[in-house]
């Protein structure tokens, strides 16, 4: 059957749909834990820093904590992805969900700014690890003709997590501690994971023949074929993660800045809605579209188109509404921006697992995605923090959007995986 056939799902079994559902729920709550900080930091940081909301320290610490989150995601992603190849997908997925759920709940009791930093690092460890396990599991369980679409769906479900976080942010208002208590809820998913997910046959076979090499970073980085894919995959992820935290989530800041300049006293809740629901709806459509587009064009071409479109849309949302004096125009452009700039993220779940063999699949995927976090961290801790605290917000975000160009260079160094069997 052609990968572009509308009947791509005809070979998918009930169990395969179950795997996609369980992995996706883990990723939904994963996204919730990551995003709840972005939506509560305007209340949490002034509270813990004992300063006013417009104090420059709030922006500086806000960007620093995003960097800390990326560092924690890198460490946890590398650790748990390797363990997923060594121990199996089921136990490590359960462990990562427990990690991000419990430490998110503890954040509700933080009384000092350093405590939030430490807890965000630990939450990020679970977040970074869960993605790699889920992406590898979906790629291994689904048939070749459905793999790209399933991977795209898996990553696109993060939008539900963003919506849940947005709803929680609006519900709790300035009571930020309550939002983090809600983060404990995903721990209930662990029992279902343990009961319903079986280890893929390909993983069992690999473990039987390559036990000493399972999850080996020395083999991943010591073998030229895998090393090249790991390095350029990590650089590609760096572009996506740096632009996500530095540019994409700034949609809320752009809306808030516009509303403040017009004297709108309800700017806080309106900007949360603009980003958390309107822009995120476009992002969800973009991530859902990545699978069908890559099934038709291939992953690499789809990445190229979306990177170029995001490069154009970044200055568009920064400047056009201001020049037109139209908040309505901003609300029209935000979902288009989200479609392009965040749509590329669904490609990582479809692309990275297909670059590596079974005994290195979670390790390689985790290395790409989470080393990308590490490489993106300096962009947020220093460059983004400095630019947003000293330059006009529109100038800073437009400049950071230039990172989308780098993605095209890194893509040229990676193979096309469309229509290919998974490496063994």
């Amino acid at each position: 059957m052609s990968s572009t056939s509308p009947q791509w799902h005809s070979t998918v079994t009930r169990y395969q749909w179950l795997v996609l559902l369980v992995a996706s729920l883990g990723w939904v709550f994963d996204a919730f834990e990551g995003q709840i900080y972005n939506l509560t930091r305007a209340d949490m940081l002034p509270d813990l820093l004992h300063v006013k909301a417009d104090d420059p320290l709030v922006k500086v610490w806000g960007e620093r904590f995003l960097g800390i989150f990326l560092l924690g995601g890198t460490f946890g992603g590398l650790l748990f992805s390797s363990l997923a190849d060594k121990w199996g997908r089921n136990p490590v997925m359960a462990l990562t969900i427990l990690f991000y759920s419990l430490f998110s709940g503890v954040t509700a009791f933080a009384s000092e700014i350093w405590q939030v930093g430490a807890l965000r690092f630990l939450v990020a460890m679970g977040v970074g690890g869960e993605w790699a396990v889920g992406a590898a599991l979906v790629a291994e369980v689904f048939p070749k003709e459905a793999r790209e679409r399933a991977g795209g769906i898996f990553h696109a479900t993060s939008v539900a997590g963003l919506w849940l976080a947005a709803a929680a942010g609006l519900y709790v208002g300035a009571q930020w501690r309550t939002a983090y208590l809600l983060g404990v809820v995903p721990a209930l998913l662990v029992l279902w994971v343990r009961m319903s997910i079986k280890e893929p046959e390909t993983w069992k076979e690999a473990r039987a023949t390559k036990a000493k090499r399972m999850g080996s970073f020395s083999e991943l980085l010591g073998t030229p074929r895998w090393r090249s894919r790991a390095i350029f995959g990590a650089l590609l992820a760096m572009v996506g993660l740096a632009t996500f935290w530095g540019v994409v989530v700034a949609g809320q800041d752009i809306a808030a800045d516009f509303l403040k300049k017009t004297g709108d006293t309800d700017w806080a809740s309106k900007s949360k809605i603009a980003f958390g629901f309107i822009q995120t709806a476009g992002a969800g459509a973009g991530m859902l579209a990545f699978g069908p587009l890559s099934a038709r064009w291939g992953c690499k071409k789809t990445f190229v188109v979306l990177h170029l479109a995001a490069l154009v849309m970044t200055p568009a949302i920064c400047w056009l509404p201001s020049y037109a004096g139209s908040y309505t125009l901003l609300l029209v452009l935000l979902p288009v921006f989200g479609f392009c700039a965040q749509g590329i993220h669904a490609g990582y779940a479809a692309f990275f697992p297909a670059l590596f063999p079974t005994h290195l699949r979670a390790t390689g995927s985790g290395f790409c995605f989470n080393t990308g976090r590490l490489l993106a961290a300096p962009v947020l801790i220093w460059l983004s923090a400095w630019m947003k605290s000293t330059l006009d917000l529109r100038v800073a975000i437009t400049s950071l959007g230039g990172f989308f160009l780098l993605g095209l260079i890194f893509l040229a160094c990676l193979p096309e995986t469309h229509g290919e069997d998974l490496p063994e």
Side-chain angles (χ1 to χ4, degrees), residues 306-323:
L306 291 181
H307 276 76
L308 288 173
L311 183 67
V312 172
M313 287 304 304
T314 300
I317 64 160
C318 289
W319 300 99
L320 292 181
S322 297
Y323 284 139

Side-chain angles (χ1 to χ4, degrees), residues 291-411:
L293 290 175
S294 62
R296 180 176 295 276
W297 297 340
C299 276
K300 288 184 64 173
K301 185 175 181 181
T302 305
F303 271 126
V304 168
V305 171
L306 291 181
H307 276 76
L308 288 173
L311 183 67
V312 172
M313 287 304 304
T314 300
I317 64 160
C318 289
W319 300 99
L320 292 181
S322 297
Y323 284 139
S326 172
Y327 187 62
T328 301
L329 178 59
L330 178 62
L331 295 181
V332 170
L333 293 177
L334 280 175
V336 181
F337 169 66
F339 183 99
C340 305
Q342 200 170 336
I344 60 176
H345 287 239
Y348 304 145
F351 192 43
F352 292 158
L355 294 174
F356 304 101
T358 301
H359 67 291
L360 297 174
R361 184 156 297 125
T363 305
S365 300
F367 180 90
C368 290
F369 197 64
N370 294 293
T371 302
R373 293 180 192 265
L374 180 64
L375 296 174
V379 177
L380 298 172
I381 294 175
W382 292 298
L383 182 61
S384 181
W386 172 77
M387 293 179 74
K388 291 180 180 179
S389 61
T390 59
L391 302 176
D392 180 271
L393 182 65
R394 296 168 298 176
V395 173
I397 295 171
T398 300
S399 301
L400 291 169
F403 274 86
F404 286 113
L405 275 177
L406 287 176
L408 304 180
I409 299 173
F410 304 141
L411 278 167

Side-chain angles (χ1 to χ4, degrees), residues 37-49:
Y37 163 76
N38 187 57
L39 291 164
T40 59
R41 63 177 178 170
D43 299 306
M44 177 177 67
L45 295 179
D47 187 13
L48 295 178
L49 289 168

Side-chain angles (χ1 to χ4, degrees), residues 185-200:
V185 174
L188 301 175
L189 180 62
V190 170
L191 181 61
W192 194 22
V193 170
R194 295 294 289 159
M195 292 178 60
S196 61
I197 300 300
K198 300 176 291 186
E199 297 299 336

Side-chain angles (χ1 to χ4, degrees), residues 50 61 67 73-74 78 86 99 106 109 127 136 143 157 305 322 330 353-354 378 382 397 411 419:
H50 307 293
W61 279 100
T74 300
L78 295 176
K86 296 177 185 293
F99 231 78
V106 175
F109 303 99
V127 167
T157 55
V305 171
S322 297
L330 178 62
W382 292 298
I397 295 171
L411 278 167

